[in-house]
Amino acid sequence: MDLLLKGGRVYRSGSFENEDVVISDGVVIDVDKFPSSGHSSVVVDCSNKIIVPGLADVHVHFREPGFSYKETIYTGTMAAARGGYTAVCTMPNLDPAPVDKTTLDAQLDLIKSDGRVKVYPFGAITSDQSGRGRLSAMEEMAPYVAGFSDDGKGVQDEALMEEAMLKAKSLGKVISAHCEDESLLDGGYIHKGEYALKNGHRGICSESEWKQVERDIQLARKTGCAYHVCHVSTGESVELIRAAKKDGVDITCETAPHYLILCDEDLQEDGRFKMNPPLRSREDRQALIEGIQDGTVDMIATDHAPHSAAEKAGGLSGSAFGVVGLETAFPMLYRYLVAEEVISPEKLIELMAVRPRQRFGIRGSEIGAGVSADLAVFDINSRQTVRPSEFCTKGRSTPFEGMESQGKCVLTISEGNIVWNTLSF
Ligand SMILES: [Zn+2]
């Protein structure tokens, strides 16, 4: 089926233009080359809509193999499609964890059979994904992975991290680091700030994050490794990364929608407000916003981390860490950052589609002629309330539940296939 996406505003090279997009046999073709008569094509009315490169999320947890009661490759990629994503990178805290080619294959087989959008797994950094001990079989996994990460844990041993960076550099891969110094944790589970103090909760200090960012920057400088910081949540981390970039260190970072929209003043006694790193202070949130405005923060990833209802029913102290995010990221960021004029819509696409693809070598950062169609269409005027019961993900826990959002994904095309569609054509 040939599609003519008509009347939309198309994101191209950093700006929106009024243009039609023609997709023939799953491939974007030049409008000029499209036969105007004697050709059957389906016209899709995209007026008042934007057409953007498929969003790319470099930090998701799809739980398979090992924890399919929380999420599967199928439900995770359906959630991605519904959110406008056509590429995701999965974290390796699985069972078995991808630590060599054999264990990675278990995940790659599932991705091949069940994935609805492109899935690029991370391989583990350490041999048991614990952040300690010895390195995984990075070399044999390298051709098949987005990069290497021990997400869920920080690599505690400095010499081991240096070794990992040297290896990643030799393989041309990015190290994507969950930065957390375990010696500073002290049993905390929400931000060590006013809310924790007032309500008798154990806090996670900001230092546990930025101390390890600081250490890793020195190692990245020394080794020349392409280094990426996961889910930055503190103002101190933003400042360290800003300075490192000025210094020429090959460093990028992501933050997540909840750190940009909420802070610890929004906490409620409910597991849906619990994730790691935690919601930080109002000042931290402001520092992150300034970080995205000046380019210090390169991209927004969701850290989509579904759990069962029972696992999230233990309040702030007893619930598992992690919230879902793929289906709310764009509409929440559009509502609270773009509609509030904190950033432009072009900037949002750069943060959610362009920069993640560029950094992790995922093609499709431009809607270009001759390549398979990877794009999403959003109705940016549509306002709706976040209702977890409508989610495709198995996870239901989100701090955005009940909040108003703006911008709804109406069509997602991944590698030429329609994977999400609410339009009638
Ligand atoms: Zn993490």
Side-chain angles (χ1 to χ4, degrees), residues 59 151-152 178 231 276 303:
H59 193 140
D151 185 57
H178 167 118
H231 42 53
N276 188 23
D303 195 5

Side-chain angles (χ1 to χ4, degrees), residues 59 61 91 93 149-154 177-180 230-231 254 259 276-277 303:
H59 193 140
H61 298 268
M91 286 301 175
N93 51 344
S149 181
D150 266 0
D151 185 57
K153 299 219 176 252
H178 167 118
C179 287
E180 185 171 32
C230 291
H231 42 53
E254 73 197 33
Y259 306 119
N276 188 23
D303 195 5

Side-chain angles (χ1 to χ4, degrees), residues 64-65 73 90 94 98 103-111 121-122:
E64 266 192 329
I73 300 287
T90 50
L94 302 167
T103 44
L104 178 64
D105 276 344
Q107 191 189 358
L108 290 173
D109 289 346
L110 288 166
I111 290 168
F122 279 103

Side-chain angles (χ1 to χ4, degrees), residues 353-374:
V354 180
R355 290 291 289 134
R357 287 177 184 271
Q358 288 171 341
R359 180 56 160 172
F360 290 90
I362 303 167
R363 60 174 180 70
S365 56
E366 282 284 331
I367 299 172
V371 291
S372 71
D374 265 290

